[in-house]
Amino acid sequence: MRHLLLFLSRRRGLRRWMEESPRAAALTRRFVAGTRIEDALAVTARLNQAGLWTTLDYLGESITTLAEAAAARDIYLELLERIHAQRLQANVSLKLTQLGLDVSEAACRENVAAVARRARELDNFARVDMESSAYTERTLAVVHDLHEAYPHLGAVIQAYLYRSEQDVEELIGRRIRVRLCKGAYDEPPEVAFPRASQVEAGFQKLAQALLLRGNYPALATHDKRLLENVLGFAAQHGVPKDAYEIQMLYGIRRDLQARYAAAGHRVRVYVPFGGAWYPYFMRRLAERPANVYFVLRNLFRR
């Protein structure tokens, strides 16, 4: 099922139909905050009241014009301004293909620099999301280069890639903040671990390195058993709870989000919004079968 859903996530015709369908859009409300900045900020305010922080992601990837890239950049700049004005506990997450990487790497770097610069000025933070393995090298190169001028810029590492151990070591050496996740794309066995047990072992190993030597890492997983193992390691080695974050996706394992926040952990929820929700939504379904059952159950409700 996972491979089928990831295959469907790349079908342009199906994406166009889904994103234009009011009924289909209604099904995303558990996982997507809405289409407008106001929707994302309202969700953030509600989560903040519950003791949860957020990172906001304006959905969209693989744009084809620099005008689209500039428009996405401006959305992030407005987000930072409004987060600051409303004194919300939130930062932003962005994708390089949305900011023009496939059109002009130079323009993409300028767009990311603009967001990172404003995040620094407002004492906030911007995270560059990781996309498929085809973009890993270029994504990390942009982060490495810009981090020297803009330390309020972080990266994401996907534990299922063979290269991730080396990448984590370099990011630790550069003092770049890392969000560690398992990985959500359909990668070939030439570049990624094919078995779930291998991915989990890789996640645990990388998380331990980041907890001991990294700069305020974010542990992004909904796997309770895996997370408990990692948090147990942190406690055994005297890593304080304010030295890292737990990160989870909006609408997924809300019980765990509340439980860890109540236990004194810093929990940040990844909150996506925007009209281009289909690829993100399908990757979330592929990650966890329970999400598919949730959607099907609601599909037939009146």
Side-chain angles (χ1 to χ4, degrees):
M1 180 178 288
R2 178 176 182 273
H3 292 289
L4 173 61
L5 289 168
L6 290 173
F7 169 78
L8 293 175
S9 75
R10 300 187 293 270
R11 300 304 94 189
R12 293 181 181 273
L14 183 57
R15 171 179 177 175
R16 185 165 51 252
W17 178 81
M18 289 283 284
E19 290 181 348
E20 293 174 358
S21 166
R23 185 166 186 179
L27 295 176
T28 71
R29 289 175 185 161
R30 174 158 177 163
F31 308 108
V32 179
T35 59
R36 306 171 304 154
I37 287 178
E38 289 76 13
D39 299 325
L41 295 176
V43 166
T44 291
R46 175 170 55 81
L47 291 172
N48 282 178
Q49 290 177 351
L52 302 167
W53 299 352
T54 72
T55 184
L56 303 181
D57 170 28
Y58 175 53
L59 292 171
E61 51 199 76
S62 301
I63 57 86
T64 57
T65 70
L66 292 181
E68 292 176 292
R73 175 203 64 207
D74 291 345
I75 290 288
Y76 280 108
L77 292 173
E78 182 178 351
L79 272 176
L80 288 168
E81 298 292 345
R82 296 181 66 173
I83 288 169
H84 181 74
Q86 297 183 32
R87 299 182 179 180
L88 297 172
Q89 286 284 3
N91 57 38
V92 297
S93 293
L94 47 92
K95 286 182 171 61
L96 295 191
T97 59
Q98 186 186 30
L99 294 176
L101 184 62
D102 286 333
V103 183
S104 166
E105 185 166 329
C108 175
R109 285 174 179 255
E110 291 177 3
N111 289 332
V112 177
V115 176
R117 184 183 308 114
R118 195 60 184 137
R120 182 187 63 186
E121 292 167 351
L122 296 173
D123 195 25
N124 206 319
F125 180 74
R127 178 100 58 185
V128 176
D129 279 338
M130 190 58 73
E131 302 177 66
S132 72
S133 61
Y135 293 99
T136 303
E137 188 69 30
R138 283 185 289 168
T139 298
L140 289 176
V142 170
V143 174
H144 290 165
D145 292 347
L146 291 179
H147 183 265
E148 295 182 12
Y150 308 108
H152 289 60
L153 187 69
V156 176
I157 290 295
Q158 301 175 63
Y160 64 5
L161 297 181
Y162 300 137
R163 61 173 291 162
S164 290
E165 184 172 0
Q166 179 179 342
D167 290 334
V168 162
E169 288 301 319
E170 184 165 6
L171 290 162
I172 288 174
R174 292 173 179 266
R175 303 299 297 161
I176 297 175
R177 285 168 55 176
V178 174
R179 177 201 295 145
L180 178 66
C181 64
K182 287 183 179 179
Y185 293 85
D186 199 11
E187 300 289 0
E190 291 77 20
V191 300
F193 294 111
R195 296 197 298 274
S197 60
Q198 295 173 305
V199 178
E200 292 168 7
F203 185 102
Q204 188 157 327
K205 182 177 182 180
L206 297 178
Q208 291 175 359
L210 288 165
L211 285 166
L212 292 180
R213 298 183 284 112
N215 177 19
Y216 192 65
L219 310 172
T221 180
H222 306 99
D223 186 330
K224 183 176 182 292
R225 180 184 57 80
L226 178 60
L227 189 54
E228 287 292 326
N229 288 340
V230 172
L231 296 179
F233 175 89
Q236 291 168 10
H237 288 79
V239 181
K241 291 179 179 178
D242 62 357
Y244 59 87
E245 289 182 358
I246 296 169
Q247 294 196 0
M248 295 187 182
L249 299 170
Y250 179 61
I252 301 178
R253 293 313 307 262
R254 293 178 292 190
D255 58 330
L256 289 184
Q257 295 173 18
R259 183 184 308 170
Y260 285 121
H265 292 281
R266 293 181 172 182
V267 180
R268 191 178 299 273
V269 180
Y270 187 98
V271 177
F273 74 99
W277 52 263
Y278 176 75
Y280 172 87
F281 178 68
M282 295 299 287
R283 289 196 295 271
R284 299 296 75 81
L285 296 185
E287 283 178 349
R288 192 164 178 257
N291 296 337
V292 179
Y293 304 144
F294 169 85
V295 170
L296 291 176
R297 190 166 62 245
N298 283 274
L299 181 63
F300 296 103
R301 282 182 179 174
R302 293 189 178 183

